[in-house]
Amino acid sequence: MASAAAAVRRKPAGLTATPTWAWALPPVLILALGFLYPLALVVRQSFTPESLGETSPESLGETTTGASLAPYTEVFASTAFREALTTTVWLAVGATVGCLVLGFVLALVIAFVPFPGGKAVARFIDVFLSFPSFLITLALLFIYGSVGMANGAWTGVTGAAEGPFHFLTTPWGVLLAEITYFTPFVMRPLLAAFSQLDTAQLEVASSLGAGPLRIVRQVILPEALPALAAGGSLVLVLCLNEFGIVLFTGAKGVTTLPMLVYSKAILESDYPAACVVAVVNIVLSVGLYSLYRVVSRRAGA
Protein backbone atom coordinates (compact mmCIF):
# COMPACT_ATOMS: atom_id res chain seq x y z
CA MET A 1 0.00 0.00 0.00
CA ALA A 2 2.79 2.39 0.90
CA SER A 3 4.56 1.74 -2.38
CA ALA A 4 1.31 2.30 -4.30
CA ALA A 5 0.73 5.64 -2.55
CA ALA A 6 4.30 6.69 -3.28
CA ALA A 7 3.76 5.82 -6.94
CA VAL A 8 0.66 8.02 -7.06
CA ARG A 9 2.49 10.96 -5.49
CA ARG A 10 5.53 10.51 -7.74
CA LYS A 11 5.61 13.07 -10.58
CA PRO A 12 6.02 11.89 -14.16
CA ALA A 13 9.66 11.81 -15.19
CA GLY A 14 9.04 14.16 -18.13
CA LEU A 15 7.55 16.89 -15.92
CA THR A 16 10.37 16.58 -13.39
CA ALA A 17 13.07 16.82 -16.03
CA THR A 18 11.55 19.91 -17.72
CA PRO A 19 13.06 23.20 -16.43
CA THR A 20 10.65 25.72 -14.90
CA TRP A 21 11.56 28.42 -17.42
CA ALA A 22 10.47 26.16 -20.28
CA TRP A 23 6.88 26.18 -19.01
CA ALA A 24 6.90 29.99 -18.79
CA LEU A 25 8.39 30.45 -22.26
CA PRO A 26 5.25 29.80 -24.42
CA PRO A 27 2.95 32.31 -22.63
CA VAL A 28 5.77 34.88 -22.54
CA LEU A 29 6.31 34.49 -26.30
CA ILE A 30 2.58 34.80 -27.00
CA LEU A 31 2.39 37.93 -24.86
CA ALA A 32 5.48 39.41 -26.50
CA LEU A 33 4.31 38.76 -30.07
CA GLY A 34 0.64 39.59 -29.53
CA PHE A 35 0.95 42.65 -27.31
CA LEU A 36 4.43 43.89 -26.42
CA TYR A 37 5.80 43.91 -29.98
CA PRO A 38 2.87 45.90 -31.48
CA LEU A 39 3.04 48.25 -28.49
CA ALA A 40 6.76 48.76 -29.06
CA LEU A 41 6.07 49.57 -32.72
CA VAL A 42 3.49 52.18 -31.74
CA VAL A 43 5.90 53.77 -29.25
CA ARG A 44 8.70 53.79 -31.83
CA GLN A 45 6.43 55.28 -34.49
CA SER A 46 5.48 58.07 -32.08
CA PHE A 47 9.14 59.18 -32.13
CA THR A 48 9.37 59.04 -35.94
CA PRO A 49 8.71 62.33 -37.75
CA GLU A 50 6.41 62.01 -40.72
CA SER A 51 9.08 63.53 -42.96
CA LEU A 52 11.25 60.40 -42.64
CA GLY A 53 9.17 58.62 -45.20
CA GLU A 54 5.91 56.81 -45.68
CA THR A 55 4.06 56.21 -42.42
CA SER A 56 1.30 53.67 -42.54
CA PRO A 57 0.26 50.56 -40.63
CA GLU A 58 2.36 48.49 -43.07
CA SER A 59 5.48 50.59 -42.41
CA LEU A 60 5.36 50.37 -38.63
CA GLY A 61 7.64 47.32 -38.63
CA GLU A 62 10.24 48.84 -40.94
CA THR A 63 13.56 49.99 -39.56
CA THR A 64 13.79 53.78 -39.32
CA THR A 65 16.36 56.10 -37.91
CA GLY A 66 16.38 59.59 -36.57
CA ALA A 67 14.11 59.31 -33.55
CA SER A 68 12.80 62.72 -32.61
CA LEU A 69 10.49 64.44 -30.14
CA ALA A 70 9.07 66.53 -32.97
CA PRO A 71 5.83 64.48 -33.20
CA TYR A 72 5.22 64.98 -29.46
CA THR A 73 5.99 68.69 -29.69
CA GLU A 74 3.63 69.10 -32.63
CA VAL A 75 0.80 67.12 -31.05
CA PHE A 76 1.11 68.75 -27.61
CA ALA A 77 1.05 72.19 -29.23
CA SER A 78 -2.13 71.47 -31.18
CA THR A 79 -5.47 72.79 -29.98
CA ALA A 80 -7.19 69.54 -30.99
CA PHE A 81 -5.07 67.48 -28.59
CA ARG A 82 -5.56 69.86 -25.65
CA GLU A 83 -9.31 69.96 -26.22
CA ALA A 84 -9.48 66.16 -26.55
CA LEU A 85 -7.47 65.70 -23.36
CA THR A 86 -9.67 68.15 -21.46
CA THR A 87 -12.85 66.53 -22.79
CA THR A 88 -11.59 63.03 -21.93
CA VAL A 89 -10.68 63.99 -18.38
CA TRP A 90 -13.86 65.88 -17.53
CA LEU A 91 -16.10 63.22 -19.07
CA ALA A 92 -14.26 60.46 -17.19
CA VAL A 93 -14.34 62.36 -13.88
CA GLY A 94 -17.97 63.44 -14.33
CA ALA A 95 -19.10 59.93 -15.25
CA THR A 96 -17.19 58.49 -12.29
CA VAL A 97 -18.82 60.91 -9.84
CA GLY A 98 -22.25 60.19 -11.32
CA CYS A 99 -21.69 56.44 -11.14
CA LEU A 100 -20.53 56.67 -7.52
CA VAL A 101 -23.58 58.65 -6.42
CA LEU A 102 -26.15 56.69 -8.41
CA GLY A 103 -24.49 53.34 -7.72
CA PHE A 104 -24.37 53.99 -3.97
CA VAL A 105 -28.05 54.94 -3.84
CA LEU A 106 -29.19 51.98 -5.94
CA ALA A 107 -27.00 49.54 -4.01
CA LEU A 108 -28.46 50.85 -0.74
CA VAL A 109 -31.99 50.24 -1.99
CA ILE A 110 -31.22 46.74 -3.26
CA ALA A 111 -29.29 45.70 -0.15
CA PHE A 112 -31.37 47.24 2.65
CA VAL A 113 -34.87 47.95 1.32
CA PRO A 114 -36.90 44.74 0.94
CA PHE A 115 -38.96 44.69 -2.25
CA PRO A 116 -40.26 41.94 -4.56
CA GLY A 117 -37.67 40.92 -7.11
CA GLY A 118 -34.72 42.39 -5.23
CA LYS A 119 -32.58 39.28 -5.65
CA ALA A 120 -33.41 39.11 -9.35
CA VAL A 121 -32.29 42.72 -9.77
CA ALA A 122 -29.02 41.94 -7.99
CA ARG A 123 -28.42 39.00 -10.33
CA PHE A 124 -29.28 41.13 -13.37
CA ILE A 125 -26.45 43.49 -12.45
CA ASP A 126 -23.98 40.65 -13.03
CA VAL A 127 -25.54 40.04 -16.46
CA PHE A 128 -25.50 43.76 -17.25
CA LEU A 129 -21.73 43.85 -16.82
CA SER A 130 -21.38 41.62 -19.89
CA PHE A 131 -23.36 43.95 -22.17
CA PRO A 132 -21.37 45.89 -24.81
CA SER A 133 -21.37 49.64 -24.33
CA PHE A 134 -22.86 50.37 -27.76
CA LEU A 135 -25.96 48.34 -26.85
CA ILE A 136 -26.81 50.74 -24.00
CA THR A 137 -26.13 53.73 -26.25
CA LEU A 138 -28.36 52.24 -28.93
CA ALA A 139 -31.15 51.83 -26.37
CA LEU A 140 -30.81 55.50 -25.36
CA LEU A 141 -30.98 56.48 -29.04
CA PHE A 142 -34.24 54.56 -29.40
CA ILE A 143 -35.66 56.52 -26.48
CA TYR A 144 -34.11 60.00 -26.73
CA GLY A 145 -32.79 60.12 -30.29
CA SER A 146 -34.02 62.66 -32.84
CA VAL A 147 -36.58 60.13 -34.09
CA GLY A 148 -36.81 58.25 -30.81
CA MET A 149 -39.87 57.43 -28.73
CA ALA A 150 -39.69 60.52 -26.52
CA ASN A 151 -39.57 62.92 -29.46
CA GLY A 152 -42.22 60.87 -31.27
CA ALA A 153 -44.56 61.08 -28.28
CA TRP A 154 -43.96 64.82 -28.02
CA THR A 155 -44.70 65.51 -31.69
CA GLY A 156 -47.73 63.23 -31.53
CA VAL A 157 -49.24 65.14 -28.60
CA THR A 158 -48.27 68.71 -29.52
CA GLY A 159 -48.18 68.47 -33.30
CA ALA A 160 -44.75 70.11 -33.37
CA ALA A 161 -42.41 69.47 -36.26
CA GLU A 162 -39.75 67.98 -33.98
CA GLY A 163 -39.30 67.00 -30.38
CA PRO A 164 -37.24 68.84 -27.75
CA PHE A 165 -34.82 66.01 -26.92
CA HIS A 166 -31.52 66.47 -28.76
CA PHE A 167 -29.05 66.19 -25.88
CA LEU A 168 -27.66 62.78 -26.89
CA THR A 169 -25.48 64.43 -29.54
CA THR A 170 -23.95 66.75 -26.92
CA PRO A 171 -21.36 66.07 -24.20
CA TRP A 172 -24.25 65.66 -21.73
CA GLY A 173 -25.63 62.81 -23.80
CA VAL A 174 -22.25 61.07 -23.73
CA LEU A 175 -22.10 61.64 -19.98
CA LEU A 176 -25.58 60.16 -19.50
CA ALA A 177 -24.70 57.11 -21.59
CA GLU A 178 -21.47 56.50 -19.67
CA ILE A 179 -23.19 56.84 -16.29
CA THR A 180 -25.94 54.47 -17.41
CA TYR A 181 -23.50 51.86 -18.63
CA PHE A 182 -20.81 52.04 -15.93
CA THR A 183 -22.96 52.41 -12.78
CA PRO A 184 -23.24 48.60 -12.31
CA PHE A 185 -19.43 48.46 -12.15
CA VAL A 186 -19.74 50.48 -8.92
CA MET A 187 -22.78 48.61 -7.63
CA ARG A 188 -21.16 45.17 -7.84
CA PRO A 189 -18.41 45.78 -5.25
CA LEU A 190 -20.83 47.80 -3.13
CA LEU A 191 -23.35 44.96 -2.95
CA ALA A 192 -20.53 42.59 -2.00
CA ALA A 193 -19.46 44.98 0.77
CA PHE A 194 -23.02 45.44 2.02
CA SER A 195 -23.54 41.66 2.18
CA GLN A 196 -20.70 41.46 4.70
CA LEU A 197 -21.98 44.32 6.86
CA ASP A 198 -23.07 43.23 10.34
CA THR A 199 -26.76 44.08 10.58
CA ALA A 200 -26.42 44.26 14.36
CA GLN A 201 -24.68 47.60 13.93
CA LEU A 202 -27.70 48.94 12.08
CA GLU A 203 -30.08 47.65 14.72
CA VAL A 204 -28.03 49.17 17.55
CA ALA A 205 -27.83 52.53 15.78
CA SER A 206 -31.58 52.47 15.14
CA SER A 207 -32.34 51.54 18.76
CA LEU A 208 -30.27 54.51 19.91
CA GLY A 209 -32.48 56.85 17.91
CA ALA A 210 -30.37 57.34 14.79
CA GLY A 211 -32.39 58.17 11.69
CA PRO A 212 -31.89 56.53 8.28
CA LEU A 213 -29.65 59.31 6.95
CA ARG A 214 -27.46 59.23 10.05
CA ILE A 215 -27.16 55.45 9.86
CA VAL A 216 -26.10 55.71 6.23
CA ARG A 217 -23.60 58.47 6.95
CA GLN A 218 -22.03 57.08 10.13
CA VAL A 219 -22.42 53.30 9.80
CA ILE A 220 -22.86 52.23 6.19
CA LEU A 221 -20.74 54.80 4.35
CA PRO A 222 -17.48 54.13 6.27
CA GLU A 223 -17.83 50.43 5.51
CA ALA A 224 -18.54 51.16 1.85
CA LEU A 225 -15.61 53.53 1.24
CA PRO A 226 -13.11 50.82 0.11
CA ALA A 227 -15.66 49.38 -2.33
CA LEU A 228 -16.52 52.88 -3.58
CA ALA A 229 -12.85 53.63 -4.13
CA ALA A 230 -12.26 50.37 -6.00
CA GLY A 231 -15.36 50.73 -8.18
CA GLY A 232 -14.70 54.42 -8.84
CA SER A 233 -11.10 53.74 -9.86
CA LEU A 234 -12.21 51.04 -12.29
CA VAL A 235 -14.90 53.27 -13.83
CA LEU A 236 -12.39 56.10 -14.23
CA VAL A 237 -10.04 53.81 -16.18
CA LEU A 238 -12.85 52.47 -18.38
CA CYS A 239 -14.30 55.92 -19.11
CA LEU A 240 -10.86 57.22 -20.04
CA ASN A 241 -10.65 54.64 -22.84
CA GLU A 242 -14.29 54.57 -23.91
CA PHE A 243 -14.73 54.73 -27.68
CA GLY A 244 -18.00 53.02 -28.60
CA ILE A 245 -20.29 55.29 -26.59
CA VAL A 246 -18.85 58.48 -28.08
CA LEU A 247 -19.02 57.01 -31.59
CA PHE A 248 -22.59 55.68 -31.34
CA THR A 249 -24.09 58.81 -29.81
CA GLY A 250 -22.94 60.73 -32.87
CA ALA A 251 -21.72 63.62 -30.73
CA LYS A 252 -19.66 65.34 -33.41
CA GLY A 253 -18.50 68.10 -31.10
CA VAL A 254 -17.14 65.60 -28.56
CA THR A 255 -13.60 64.44 -29.29
CA THR A 256 -11.88 62.26 -26.71
CA LEU A 257 -8.37 60.82 -26.89
CA PRO A 258 -9.55 57.48 -28.38
CA MET A 259 -11.62 59.39 -30.94
CA LEU A 260 -8.60 61.56 -31.76
CA VAL A 261 -6.49 58.43 -32.36
CA TYR A 262 -9.17 57.17 -34.74
CA SER A 263 -9.39 60.52 -36.50
CA LYS A 264 -5.63 60.92 -36.91
CA ALA A 265 -5.00 57.35 -38.06
CA ILE A 266 -8.07 56.55 -40.20
CA LEU A 267 -9.33 59.91 -41.46
CA GLU A 268 -6.11 61.91 -41.74
CA SER A 269 -3.53 59.09 -42.18
CA ASP A 270 -1.27 60.93 -39.73
CA TYR A 271 0.14 57.84 -38.03
CA PRO A 272 2.92 59.50 -35.99
CA ALA A 273 0.38 61.87 -34.42
CA ALA A 274 -2.04 58.98 -33.83
CA CYS A 275 0.73 57.00 -32.12
CA VAL A 276 1.63 59.98 -29.92
CA VAL A 277 -1.97 60.33 -28.73
CA ALA A 278 -2.16 56.56 -28.21
CA VAL A 279 1.00 56.60 -26.09
CA VAL A 280 -0.41 59.42 -23.94
CA ASN A 281 -3.65 57.48 -23.51
CA ILE A 282 -1.70 54.34 -22.56
CA VAL A 283 0.35 56.22 -19.96
CA LEU A 284 -2.81 57.67 -18.39
CA SER A 285 -4.53 54.29 -18.43
CA VAL A 286 -1.61 52.41 -16.90
CA GLY A 287 -1.25 55.03 -14.18
CA LEU A 288 -4.95 54.88 -13.30
CA TYR A 289 -4.98 51.09 -13.48
CA SER A 290 -2.06 50.96 -11.05
CA LEU A 291 -4.08 53.18 -8.73
CA TYR A 292 -7.07 50.86 -9.15
CA ARG A 293 -4.98 47.80 -8.23
CA VAL A 294 -3.64 49.50 -5.13
CA VAL A 295 -7.12 50.55 -4.02
CA SER A 296 -8.57 47.12 -4.81
CA ARG A 297 -5.83 45.40 -2.83
CA ARG A 298 -6.46 47.57 0.19
CA ALA A 299 -10.20 47.04 -0.18
CA GLY A 300 -9.74 43.28 -0.44
CA ALA A 301 -11.43 43.18 -3.84
Side-chain angles (χ1 to χ4, degrees), residues 60-72:
L60 288 178
E62 298 177 2
T63 302
T64 58
T65 58
S68 172
L69 291 175
Y72 283 87

Side-chain angles (χ1 to χ4, degrees), residues 1-206:
M1 293 293 293
S3 60
V8 172
R9 290 195 300 266
R10 188 180 301 120
K11 294 181 180 180
L15 294 178
T16 305
T18 305
T20 305
W21 61 266
W23 293 103
L25 189 59
V28 169
L29 288 176
I30 293 174
L31 178 64
L33 294 176
F35 175 73
L36 296 179
Y37 179 66
L39 179 60
L41 293 180
V42 171
V43 174
R44 188 184 68 179
Q45 187 66 39
S46 69
F47 288 98
T48 305
E50 193 172 10
S51 59
L52 288 181
E54 180 185 1
T55 54
S56 65
E58 293 79 9
S59 65
L60 288 178
E62 298 177 2
T63 302
T64 58
T65 58
S68 172
L69 291 175
Y72 283 87
T73 303
E74 182 179 350
V75 169
F76 289 170
S78 66
T79 303
F81 171 77
R82 293 195 298 269
E83 290 180 351
L85 180 61
T86 302
T87 301
T88 302
V89 171
W90 87 256
L91 277 176
V93 173
T96 301
V97 173
C99 290
L100 288 174
V101 174
L102 182 60
F104 183 71
V105 173
L106 293 178
L108 275 178
V109 173
I110 294 175
F112 299 110
V113 180
F115 64 93
K119 292 183 178 180
V121 173
R123 293 192 186 97
F124 176 74
I125 292 174
D126 294 331
V127 178
F128 189 93
L129 296 178
S130 65
F131 288 175
S133 59
F134 72 84
L135 184 62
I136 306 303
T137 309
L138 192 61
L140 291 175
L141 286 172
F142 277 129
I143 299 174
Y144 298 110
S146 300
V147 292
M149 293 187 296
N151 282 320
W154 179 274
T155 55
V157 172
T158 63
E162 60 180 16
F165 304 105
H166 302 287
F167 63 88
L168 278 184
T169 56
T170 69
W172 300 109
V174 176
L175 190 64
L176 172 65
E178 290 188 349
I179 292 175
T180 302
Y181 178 68
F182 289 113
T183 293
F185 288 83
V186 174
M187 295 177 63
R188 185 64 266 170
L190 278 175
L191 290 175
F194 290 160
S195 66
Q196 299 176 0
L197 184 63
D198 188 2
T199 56
Q201 300 180 42
L202 307 181
E203 296 173 359
V204 170
S206 178

